[in-house]
Structures are given as structure tokens and as C-alpha cells.
Amino acid sequence: MIDWHIFHKTDTLSTNTDARAGRHGDVFTADFQTAGRGRLDHKWLSERGENLMMSAVLDVAALDVAHAATLPLAAGLAVVKTVSAFLGVEADVKLKWPNDVYVSGLKIAGILCERVGDNVIVGIGINVRQKRFPEEISTRATSLNLNGSSADVSNVRHELLRSLSSVYETWYKEGFEAVYPEISAVDWLKDREVSVMQTDGDSEPISGRCGGIALDGSLIIDGRSVWAGEAFSARVRE
């Protein structure tokens, strides 16, 4: 298991920014981020002290580029396992390619991975105790508390680090194929009609029926591999 070293701030610009100076096993957390962000530079909105905001530094120096590129999905699986641990096996917890976790169709967590030298910074935000969200996301977001969990942020951080360590070690030693069956089993987009925007405001998104996450980490849409972007389904749009 990874020997984690935790560095906490009350306020910070971004835990991912803090983690740029870290080493393998370092974890950076904060009660509040003034410049938290997700994919395509979307702002991460969170109430002070209510949610887990964490960035873990993981070594990928010995891995080829294709292997390292699947780490966001492996991290997503760790988040799914964490959320499921608090909500129970009956909860509808799914991984939405490439970097979100949903409960019953609502977003509860996001992942942002960034390569820095020989490491990848795995930024993870999980809504824990927040009950109200800004108007622009209020119909699309949820939290552990809103799903009946009394967990606090420290409980969730502990469980997430345990899960992330386990998934990372399997993924690192045995490859993406070792964690792929579990990822495929919680694939939220599979068999849905989807559109993938490859840039913010993309005027020509890739659209079609989703064949699910492939063994190489790409998303299959009408038989075509899509490697990056933000996916929207016909049923739920972020």
C-alpha cells in the first residue's frame, strides 16, 4: 500500500497547483479552493469545508504513454468504490468517461489528472456534506449527505486513499486490463446516445450510440474511438 503524506491548507488556489511540488505519495487537501477547476477549465464549485478536495501525486515514470493515459479511469474506479462504500451496494454509482462519478444520474465527484514530469497529479473532488448547490448546477449535482450518508470529509478522505492505493497498485503492476472489467461494469455512458465535445463550445461534437469504454481507455461512439473530450448523454446533460 502507498505510504501517503498529507498536507492540508485551510485556503488555497488549487490543490492540483499545490501538488506540482509534490512527490509520489504526497496528498494535498484544502477546506476551500479559490481557483478549483475541472476538465476544459470548468470551475469546481464547493462550499467551505463541506466537500473533499484532494490531489494525490502518483509515479508513472516506468510506464509507457498509453498505460499512463488510463490513470484517470483507474482513479475514477477508486472514487466509485469509495462512494459505494458509504452508500451501499444498492446505490446506483457509475463512472462517466472520462472523469466523473454519478449517483442516480447526478454528479457527485470529478477527477482532473495532470502530468508533471515523472508523476501524475490526480485531483479529486467529492461532494460530501453539501446540501445546496449554485443555481447553474443545482439540478445536476448531488452529495453523499443528500443520499443518506452521515460521513464527514475525513472519513471520505481515508476511504478514498485506501481505495486509490489498492486500485493504483493493481493498475500499475498488471496494466489497465486488470481493472478494466470493474470499470466496464460501472460504465454510465454505454448504450446511450451521446455527444462528445472535444473543446469548450465545440460546434461539431462527435455524436452517436456509445459502445462503452474500450480496453485502451478510449470511448467508442458508433464504432469510432474518441480519446478526449466531455461527453453528454441524451438523458442527462451537464
Side-chain angles (χ1 to χ4, degrees):
M1 299 292 284
I2 297 173
D3 182 18
W4 299 110
H5 298 90
I6 299 172
F7 303 88
H8 181 75
K9 291 183 177 179
T10 301
D11 296 79
T12 191
L13 286 172
S14 163
T15 58
N16 264 34
T17 299
D18 296 338
R20 295 183 71 85
R23 297 180 295 178
H24 177 71
D26 288 349
V27 177
F28 297 82
T29 65
D31 293 330
F32 186 74
Q33 294 182 124
T34 58
R37 58 193 173 86
R39 283 185 66 84
L40 303 182
D41 285 329
H42 293 176
K43 190 174 182 180
W44 181 263
L45 304 171
S46 176
E47 294 292 336
R48 177 181 297 277
E50 294 290 279
N51 303 318
L52 176 63
M53 291 167 285
M54 184 193 90
S55 297
V57 183
L58 295 174
D59 172 45
V60 294
L63 306 181
D64 61 40
V65 173
H67 187 172
T70 62
L71 181 54
L73 292 168
L77 176 61
V79 176
V80 168
K81 288 174 174 285
T82 300
V83 171
S84 298
F86 290 102
L87 299 186
V89 295
E90 70 281 359
D92 181 27
V93 186
K94 300 292 186 183
L95 176 61
K96 174 176 168 285
W97 179 96
N99 65 332
D100 293 329
V101 174
Y102 278 34
V103 174
S104 299
L106 300 176
K107 183 173 176 177
I108 197 169
I111 300 105
L112 178 65
C113 292
E114 300 178 286
R115 181 76 182 254
V116 178
D118 290 337
N119 298 318
V120 170
I121 298 169
V122 181
I124 297 172
I126 301 178
N127 296 330
V128 179
R129 297 183 60 82
Q130 191 162 336
K131 295 182 179 180
R132 296 182 180 179
F133 295 89
E135 184 177 353
E136 61 265 39
I137 64 170
S138 62
T139 61
R140 309 190 308 272
T142 191
S143 68
L144 289 173
N145 185 276
L146 289 173
N147 284 274
S149 172
S150 60
D152 62 25
V153 173
S154 62
N155 297 149
V156 177
R157 183 192 68 196
H158 177 79
E159 181 64 25
L160 176 58
L161 290 176
R162 187 195 65 78
S163 180
L164 183 59
S165 180
S166 175
V167 172
Y168 167 82
E169 291 194 356
T170 299
W171 169 86
Y172 187 94
K173 295 174 182 177
E174 302 177 36
F176 183 63
E177 59 270 21
V179 296
Y180 175 77
E182 289 185 281
I183 288 172
S184 182
V186 294
D187 184 350
W188 190 75
L189 291 173
K190 188 174 182 179
D191 297 326
R192 293 172 180 259
E193 293 294 324
V194 302
S195 294
V196 177
M197 296 177 63
Q198 297 186 295
T199 60
D200 203 4
D202 188 353
S203 61
E204 297 183 0
I206 300 168
S207 300
R209 189 169 183 81
C210 180
I213 298 168
L215 192 53
D216 58 12
S218 65
L219 191 70
I220 304 302
I221 300 179
D222 284 346
R224 175 181 177 183
S225 294
V226 180
W227 295 95
E230 189 167 5
F232 302 92
S233 83
R235 290 174 55 189
V236 177
R237 183 178 174 86
E238 290 194 341

